[in-house]
């Protein structure tokens, strides 16, 4: 084999390896968001709340200690009015409760939005359990339409025994609505 042929073969291997690495990195990039979301939902990392079923929620016993839950609503780039029906609620830890957020399309066109959420303080996220929620679901509001969006939730009594959370007296549940274009991608 000549030196030129050997160099060409080496360059081809290097090019194929670089191409495979680039394709792999693109795949990891696409998988990162859903994997991060799953990680946060499983661990409560960064104030991400836990999602539970009705059956799981039914097994939790309420205690006499209460906690204040504050509700926050924001929108980014939507001609919507978005707010909680009531700004705070005092609940018994472990008891299921419901709050309602109200969204109104102020424009004269149908608009799609999707909400994300977080809990603060962040360490309380793993104890804030949502049984039913409108988050991560596209919501289409017709012109001037107003909708009520319920959130069914409870605070796990384990919050009282965790050294990092036992002194928390108030939790904030915050939602932010973002526009979704017609192709189903966030704007």
């Amino acid at each position: 084999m000549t030196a030129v042929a050997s160099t060409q073969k080496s360059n081809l291997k290097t090019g194929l390896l670089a191409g495979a690495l680039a394709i792999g990195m693109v795949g990891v990039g696409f998988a990162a968001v859903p994997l991060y979301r799953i990680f946060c939902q499983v661990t409560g990392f960064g104030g991400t709340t836990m999602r539970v079923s009705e059956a799981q929620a039914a097994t939790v016993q309420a205690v006499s200690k209460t906690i204040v839950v504050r509700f926050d609503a924001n929108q980014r780039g939507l001609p919507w009015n978005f707010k909680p029906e009531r700004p705070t609620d005092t609940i018994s830890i472990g008891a299921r409760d419901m709050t309602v957020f109200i969204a109104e399309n102020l424009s004269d066109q149908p608009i799609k939005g999707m909400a994300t959420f977080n809990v603060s303080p962040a360490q309380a996220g793993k104890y804030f359990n949502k049984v039913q929620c409108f988050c991560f679901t596209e919501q289409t509001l017709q012109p001037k339409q107003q909708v009520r969006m319920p959130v069914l939730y409870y605070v796990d009594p384990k919050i009282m025994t965790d050294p990092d959370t036992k002194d928390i007296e108030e939790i904030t549940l915050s939602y932010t609505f973002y526009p979704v274009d017609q192709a189903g991608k966030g704007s």
Side-chain angles (χ1 to χ4, degrees):
M1 184 181 312
T2 67
V4 171
S6 177
T7 301
Q8 286 177 339
K9 187 175 180 180
S10 177
N11 287 346
L12 179 62
K13 282 183 180 178
T14 302
L16 288 174
L17 182 61
L21 183 62
I23 290 169
M25 293 303 287
V26 168
V28 168
F30 278 106
V33 171
L35 290 174
Y36 181 73
R37 184 180 299 156
I38 291 167
F39 169 78
C40 290
Q41 288 176 343
V42 168
T43 64
F45 181 75
T48 301
T49 63
M50 308 303 281
R51 294 202 69 173
V52 296
S53 68
E54 276 285 342
Q56 289 171 300
T59 65
V60 178
Q61 296 295 314
V63 298
S64 60
K65 185 176 178 186
T66 61
I67 193 163
V68 174
V69 180
R70 182 170 303 283
F71 305 106
D72 177 55
N74 306 281
Q75 58 80 21
R76 300 282 187 259
L78 288 170
W80 287 10
N81 183 17
F82 178 53
K83 64 184 179 187
E85 190 169 65
R86 40 178 217 263
T88 62
D89 196 6
T90 301
I91 64 164
S92 294
I93 294 176
R96 280 187 285 177
D97 199 33
M98 184 176 80
T99 192
V100 174
F101 285 80
I102 300 168
E104 180 182 10
N105 180 353
L106 303 174
S107 78
D108 58 359
Q109 300 176 26
I111 305 279
K112 278 187 188 180
M114 185 179 297
T116 61
F117 62 89
N118 74 328
V119 169
S120 60
Q123 61 269 36
K126 65 182 175 181
Y127 300 111
F128 194 96
N129 294 278
K130 290 190 300 178
V131 181
Q132 179 184 351
C133 173
F134 57 86
C135 53
F136 297 119
T137 303
E138 286 185 10
Q139 306 288 331
T140 301
L141 272 61
Q142 298 303 315
K144 310 300 181 199
Q145 180 185 14
Q146 184 181 79
V147 295
R148 294 168 45 86
M149 297 179 288
V151 178
L152 185 61
Y153 68 95
Y154 69 91
V155 177
D156 192 316
K158 292 176 186 168
I159 196 170
M160 298 182 311
T161 59
D162 184 331
D164 294 330
T165 59
K166 66 180 182 174
D167 296 326
I168 292 176
E169 296 178 2
E170 182 176 290
I171 295 174
T172 300
L173 174 62
S174 181
Y175 284 96
T176 302
F177 254 104
Y178 295 94
V180 175
D181 67 17
Q182 299 304 342
K185 298 176 184 172
S187 297

